[in-house]
């Protein structure tokens, strides 16, 4: 991107006293247009990490009887191949050797490590400090001035743990007192506030720092979408909706499918700002009702906060006089969220159990939550991906009632996504893709049963092809080395076959 002329560049950087640096469209941008691609400044383990290989981020040890350590520094790797990968060899490895600091395997594998392995907390901050010396120009130009919120963070418990596990560890155990306490805490803050989660090619999780992309401000309805290659961690930022020249580019720093109360808590705790975007400011969440509760005192009322930006606001029914304090709603949300997270933790690899757990939670709370509530939306999103893919629930095996259930869930999910993840967002593309197949199965069944004639079948196939075409358009924007990119390739092939079948009718 650096070779582009300023006039053709998709974005430009602006500055304000209120929000600092931010990005705006340098010209009118179409949906799906690439804004920037960027290699990470550094990649490393996430905070509070489990024991992992420092090169490929795979869970460590590979087996209970096999605890491979780097032959040079004695820290966890998968084996010789990983210990020679540059992300480990060229960074912390030499530091550990120089300092004579070994990895404490026994301490790392203790079951009491609920908040991760303290000794591993230093890795990513150390890599950032070392990279600042290896690449001083980019550090000075792009990274050094990134927001770290040291003043706010210094009042939080995490500051103290960073002081022990990162600051003192780097300065004392690793003998790198050339880095000041303030420098190290600033690096911790930059990482905490600005990194993006990335996935490796084997599906393991890490974090990466992209200085340009991180300049985008947040909105709970973003107009951009990013993808990260699992091979080299290059990030691809693109638009999801049409953006006029001068329009601000927004990313999302939180999970778009959370209700307002939990999104705002997450942003305040992790990013140190109170979001007041249009979605957070609207008690109905822009008409989606992703925070709304059903009233148990009347038939048709929904319970909404009087002021969605005030966590202590009273909540009131729209149809009767029922009210309840925000603190009571928070307790309800925390309880339900815990149940949802427990169900979501059950992988599709567990087969039918994964589906049943989610369906059980949906049934449990359907009389409490608005049909489009965030928690039901999260479960619905998972279920739309699972029905047709999980053992015992493969598409060919699904009875009509389950196919119809999947269609209904996809449509309800899209009602929400069209508002909170509009346009060419990845989640919309995946949901459209999941919708087209059961529509085709149902159409063919109706035709076989004589319920619709050939013209009716053709009409329904055309409807499915329109949905599949949009899915293919969106998912083809994903890097081909990602799971969604692969589905995009399949979607294009399926679309060609479907259009051929329609022509032959």
């Amino acid at each position: 991107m650096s070779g582009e002329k300023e006039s053709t560049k998709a974005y430009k950087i602006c500055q304000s006293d209120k929000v600092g640096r931010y990005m705006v469209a340098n010209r009118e941008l179409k949906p799906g247009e690439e804004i920037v691609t960027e290699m990470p400044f550094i990649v490393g383990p996430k905070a509070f990490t489990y024991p992992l290989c420092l090169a490929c981020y795979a869970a460590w040890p590979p087996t209970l009887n096999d605890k491979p350590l780097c032959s040079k520094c004695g820290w966890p790797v998968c084996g010789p191949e990983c210990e020679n990968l540059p992300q480990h060899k060229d960074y912390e490895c030499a530091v550990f050797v120089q300092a004579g600091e070994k990895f404490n395997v026994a301490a790392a594998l203790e079951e009491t490590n609920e908040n991760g392995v303290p000794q591993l907390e230093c890795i990513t901050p150390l890599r950032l400090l070392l990279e600042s010396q290896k690449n001083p120009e980019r550090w000075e130009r792009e990274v050094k001035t990134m927001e770290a919120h040291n003043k706010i963070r210094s009042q939080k418990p995490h500051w103290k743990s960073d002081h022990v596990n990162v600051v003192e560890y780097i300065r004392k155990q690793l003998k790198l007192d050339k880095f000041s306490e303030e420098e190290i805490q600033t690096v911790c803050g930059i990482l905490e506030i600005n990194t993006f989660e990335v996935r490796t090619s084997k599906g393991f999780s890490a974090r990466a720092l992209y200085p340009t992309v991180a300049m985008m401000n947040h909105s709970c309805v973003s107009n951009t979408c990013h993808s990260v290659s699992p091979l080299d961690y290059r990030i691809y930022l693109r638009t999801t909706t049409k953006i006029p020249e001068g329009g601000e580019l927004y990313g999302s720093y939180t999970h778009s499918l959370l209700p307002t109360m939990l999104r705002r808590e997450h942003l305040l705790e992790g990013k140190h700002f109170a979001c007041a975007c249009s979605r957070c400011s609207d008690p109905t969440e822009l008409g989606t009702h992703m925070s709304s509760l059903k009233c148990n005192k009347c038939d048709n009322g929904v319970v909404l906060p009087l002021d969605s930006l005030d966590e202590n606001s009273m909540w009131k029914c729209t149809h009767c006089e029922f009210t309840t304090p925000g603190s009571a709603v928070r307790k309800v949300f925390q309880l339900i969220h815990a149940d949802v997270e427990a169900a979501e933790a059950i992988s599709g690899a567990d087969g039918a159990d994964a589906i049943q757990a989610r369906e059980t939670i949906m049934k449990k709370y359907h009389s409490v939550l608005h049909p489009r509530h965030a928690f039901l939306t999260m479960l619905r999103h998972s279920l739309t991906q699972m029905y047709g893919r999980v053992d015992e629930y493969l598409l060919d095996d699904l009875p009509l009632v389950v196919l119809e259930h999947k269609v209904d869930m996809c449509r309800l999910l899209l009602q929400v996504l069209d508002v909170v993840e509009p346009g060419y967002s990845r989640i919309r593309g995946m949901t459209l893709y999941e919708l087209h197949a059961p529509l085709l199965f149902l159409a063919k069944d109706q035709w076989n049963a004589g319920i619709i004639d050939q013209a009716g079948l053709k009409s329904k196939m055309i409807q499915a092809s329109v949905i599949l075409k949009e899915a293919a358009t969106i998912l083809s924007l994903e890097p081909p080395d990602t799971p969604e990119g692969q589905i995009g390739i399949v979607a294009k092939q399926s679309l060609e076959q479907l259009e051929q079948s329609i022509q032959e009718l």
Side-chain angles (χ1 to χ4, degrees), residues 260 277-287 305 308-309:
T260 294
C277 71
S278 59
R279 180 179 168 194
C280 286
S281 303
D282 181 354
T284 72
E285 296 211 36
L286 306 177
S308 54
L309 298 182

Side-chain angles (χ1 to χ4, degrees), residues 179-382:
F179 297 116
S180 70
E181 291 189 7
E182 185 182 3
E183 281 178 299
I184 300 172
Q185 278 287 8
T186 297
V187 156
C188 289
I190 287 172
L191 291 169
E192 180 185 325
I193 291 154
N194 298 287
T195 50
F196 290 74
E197 182 173 0
V198 297
R199 295 264 169 201
T200 71
S201 54
K202 293 181 180 176
F204 299 109
S205 187
R207 57 177 166 166
L209 185 64
Y210 302 98
T212 302
V213 176
M215 279 191 276
M216 273 192 308
N217 276 330
H218 164 83
S219 171
C220 291
V221 181
S222 63
N223 54 14
T224 67
C225 176
H226 71 267
S227 308
V228 178
S229 166
L231 300 179
D232 62 2
Y233 305 115
R234 178 181 287 277
I235 196 169
Y236 299 84
L237 181 70
R238 57 180 167 81
T239 58
T240 52
T241 59
K242 182 179 174 181
I243 303 173
E245 182 178 349
E248 187 166 355
L249 303 173
Y250 291 106
S252 178
Y253 300 171
T254 187
H255 192 347
S256 65
L257 299 189
L258 285 173
T260 294
M261 187 182 283
L262 298 190
R263 284 197 320 278
R264 296 188 81 238
E265 283 179 5
H266 172 253
L267 291 167
L268 192 59
E269 181 62 32
K271 306 298 181 181
H272 309 295
F273 72 93
C275 187
C277 71
S278 59
R279 180 179 168 194
C280 286
S281 303
D282 181 354
T284 72
E285 296 211 36
L286 306 177
T288 62
H289 288 282
M290 290 181 74
S291 291
S292 304
L293 301 169
K294 286 183 178 177
C295 182
N296 60 6
K297 303 296 183 188
C298 68
D299 290 336
N300 299 313
V302 291
V303 183
L304 302 170
L306 296 176
D307 180 358
S308 54
L309 298 182
D310 178 4
E311 62 180 21
N312 297 312
S313 167
M314 292 298 291
W315 288 53
K316 186 179 184 307
C317 176
T318 54
H319 278 58
C320 73
E321 295 306 308
F322 174 73
T323 60
T324 189
S327 56
V329 174
R330 185 183 298 104
K331 285 177 184 173
V332 170
F333 277 11
Q334 287 170 341
L335 179 75
I336 300 175
H337 194 210
D339 275 357
V340 170
E341 286 195 315
E344 290 279 79
I346 302 172
S347 159
D350 293 318
D353 288 349
I355 286 178
Q356 293 305 324
R358 289 165 173 81
E359 290 284 10
T360 299
I361 299 301
M362 287 188 73
K363 287 187 179 75
K364 182 177 178 181
Y365 294 115
H366 85 278
S367 62
V368 178
L369 304 173
H370 187 281
R372 292 191 299 272
H373 193 281
F375 295 141
L376 299 181
T377 300
M378 289 163 71
L379 293 165
R380 217 170 267 130
H381 172 239
S382 295

